[in-house]
Amino acid sequence: MSQALDAVDRPILYQICQWGVGTDLGVWAPKWGNSWRISNDIYNSWSSIWRITNQVVPFWKHTGVGKYADMDILIIGLNVLSLEEERFHFTMWAINKSPLTIGAPMSATLTPQASLDILGNEEALAINQDALGEQARLVRRYTEEEYDVWAGNLTDDRLVVAVANWRNASQTVALNLSSPALGIAAAGAVRDVWGAQDLGAADGSEELTLELAGHEAKLLVLSDITRTNTELVEAQYHPVTDAVVEGGTATIATCSGADECLPVGSKAVNLYPGATVTFSNVSSGQLLAIDYINYDVALQSAWSTGSNTRNLTLSVNGGAPKRWALPISGGDWFETGRLEVEVEGLDQGDGNVVVVGAPGPDPAPDLVGLAVLEERSA
């Protein structure tokens, strides 16, 4: 079919819909279609936004101009989300370059005008339609604090940043533009898209304070930017094969393919509640990177409790464990994903002990290794 459509002398959008079923979707689907559904159907619930957002995370490796991950139809204007949630919903779909398929009648007599205004917001639409076609990436997740930071490049050397408050209540977030997550030394202009206001210039040495309502996503566009002259480097790597794996049926499994469970070729599996993976001789650093595998795709559970996440905890030098919800990592149970996390309690030197735990009630993701990251001059 795709070959027949290519032979037609006019533009045609070819969309693939198989609800994200199967493996390696991002590898084969772009060869045949312009967009492809990544998940089971959305339904009229806020929890659908969390579920689908966690499923789109790894597709940045496969998307681009003419090939887009389809996060499903928009449920804006159906009176099932608050206006704040509708803006959040549109933000996630727009920055991830999902096709924007409207599910509500485009009529002011049938759909609230405020919802129509969200669907017609020219600045948000421009982010989605940006000619660079680059999907945003989840650059930081603060699970216990209940917010994410997403970022993606736009044309004219601009940057889109979304700070997503998953919490039911309001909270204040301090956004550090010069952090390794964003790498911005200065921005000549910061635009608040949903607030429809210019926030002025920003110095990366100062934190940008954001007041977020419950379920609000702050959508910012930074232009005239100067990037920091630093880069994150891997100062130390701890493969799971050097760790102590204990508890229940937890064990190390060897992956057979040359491109499986990278960079180690093995992973810790069966990390049910009570299991631990202990890494010793960990050096101090600014960040830890968790190399993990999660392909626990919420298909049958999509309309109930499915979230496309698996949870783990990190405890540093005997400190209180802190939890992270890790999204889908790739196209199957052998493709590694990486989440950079900020941890406290690492002492100077290389005598630190980091324990990965499974908080339950479901198993933790499979674990490949931990990296210690440091920011150094480029």
Side-chain angles (χ1 to χ4, degrees):
M1 175 62 77
S2 64
Q3 294 172 346
L5 293 176
D6 282 341
V8 176
D9 189 23
R10 63 184 176 86
I12 294 179
L13 175 66
Y14 187 33
Q15 297 177 293
I16 299 172
C17 181
Q18 43 54 268
W19 304 282
V21 175
T23 59
D24 300 320
L25 180 58
V27 175
W28 63 262
K31 300 175 183 177
W32 301 104
N34 302 113
S35 70
W36 56 93
R37 280 281 302 279
I38 65 164
S39 69
N40 201 343
D41 293 344
I42 196 170
Y43 75 111
N44 292 343
S45 169
W46 166 249
S47 62
S48 274
I49 311 304
W50 170 247
R51 167 175 60 87
I52 295 173
T53 298
N54 281 308
Q55 199 158 354
V56 79
V57 170
F59 282 97
W60 64 268
K61 293 177 279 189
H62 307 290
T63 53
V65 175
K67 46 184 183 179
Y68 305 104
D70 186 349
M71 299 169 73
D72 203 5
I73 198 168
L74 295 163
I75 56 173
I76 295 168
L78 302 182
N79 296 311
V80 295
L81 302 175
S82 69
L83 285 176
E84 210 64 85
E85 290 168 346
E86 289 190 343
R87 283 186 284 267
F88 189 116
H89 176 17
F90 201 84
T91 295
M92 289 295 104
W93 268 235
I95 66 172
N96 282 292
K97 304 302 188 288
S98 172
L100 301 176
T101 306
I102 297 172
M106 295 300 289
S107 166
T109 61
L110 299 173
T111 300
Q113 184 60 49
S115 297
L116 293 175
D117 291 342
I118 293 171
L119 293 169
N121 185 288
E122 293 185 1
E123 293 183 58
L125 287 168
I127 292 169
N128 177 259
Q129 299 292 304
D130 185 77
L132 199 61
E134 182 176 313
Q135 180 182 334
R137 296 174 64 173
L138 174 64
V139 295
R140 288 292 180 273
R141 167 157 287 178
Y142 302 91
T143 301
E144 294 188 351
E145 295 83 357
E146 298 181 84
Y147 73 92
D148 290 341
V149 180
W150 294 70
N153 293 315
L154 300 173
T155 51
D156 301 321
D157 198 29
R158 296 172 299 143
L159 187 74
V160 60
V161 177
V163 182
N165 181 21
W166 295 103
R167 182 177 292 178
N168 294 334
S170 61
Q171 64 173 313
T172 302
V173 171
L175 184 65
N176 184 353
L177 296 179
S178 64
S179 70
L182 299 175
I184 302 299
V190 179
R191 176 69 173 176
D192 179 351
V193 172
W194 294 120
Q197 60 178 327
D198 295 319
L199 303 183
D203 187 334
S205 64
E206 300 175 355
E207 291 182 332
L208 189 62
T209 301
L210 303 175
E211 302 293 339
L212 298 171
H215 296 178
E216 178 183 1
K218 190 72 73 175
L219 183 58
L220 307 173
V221 174
L222 282 60
S223 56
D224 189 20
I225 60 178
T226 302
R227 310 220 178 226
T228 57
N229 188 33
T230 59
E231 60 182 357
L232 275 180
V233 298
E234 198 170 282
Q236 192 183 56
Y237 194 81
H238 296 271
V240 74
T241 48
D242 289 348
V244 177
V245 179
E246 299 176 298
T249 58
T251 188
I252 300 290
T254 301
C255 306
S256 58
D259 60 348
E260 294 181 350
C261 309
L262 297 176
V264 177
S266 299
K267 60 179 181 174
V269 299
N270 299 334
L271 300 178
Y272 289 91
T276 58
V277 181
T278 302
F279 296 90
S280 300
N281 302 317
V282 178
S283 65
S284 57
Q286 293 172 297
L287 294 167
L288 291 181
I290 306 168
D291 283 347
Y292 72 97
I293 299 176
N294 171 28
Y295 201 63
D296 194 2
V297 174
L299 185 64
Q300 300 300 327
S301 61
W303 296 348
S304 55
T305 59
S307 69
N308 289 312
T309 64
R310 282 196 172 187
N311 289 266
L312 59 69
T313 59
L314 294 181
S315 172
V316 178
N317 295 328
K322 188 167 184 176
R323 181 176 66 90
W324 277 271
L326 277 67
I328 297 298
S329 59
D332 56 26
W333 274 107
F334 301 99
E335 183 177 352
T336 305
R338 171 171 282 195
L339 183 69
E340 297 173 2
V341 299
E342 300 171 6
V343 297
E344 297 179 353
L346 288 172
D347 297 328
Q348 291 297 316
D350 57 2
N352 294 285
V353 176
V354 177
V355 178
V356 179
D362 300 315
D366 295 347
L367 189 63
V368 176
L370 288 181
V372 178
L373 305 179
E374 292 182 356
E375 190 175 13
R376 298 177 184 172
S377 297

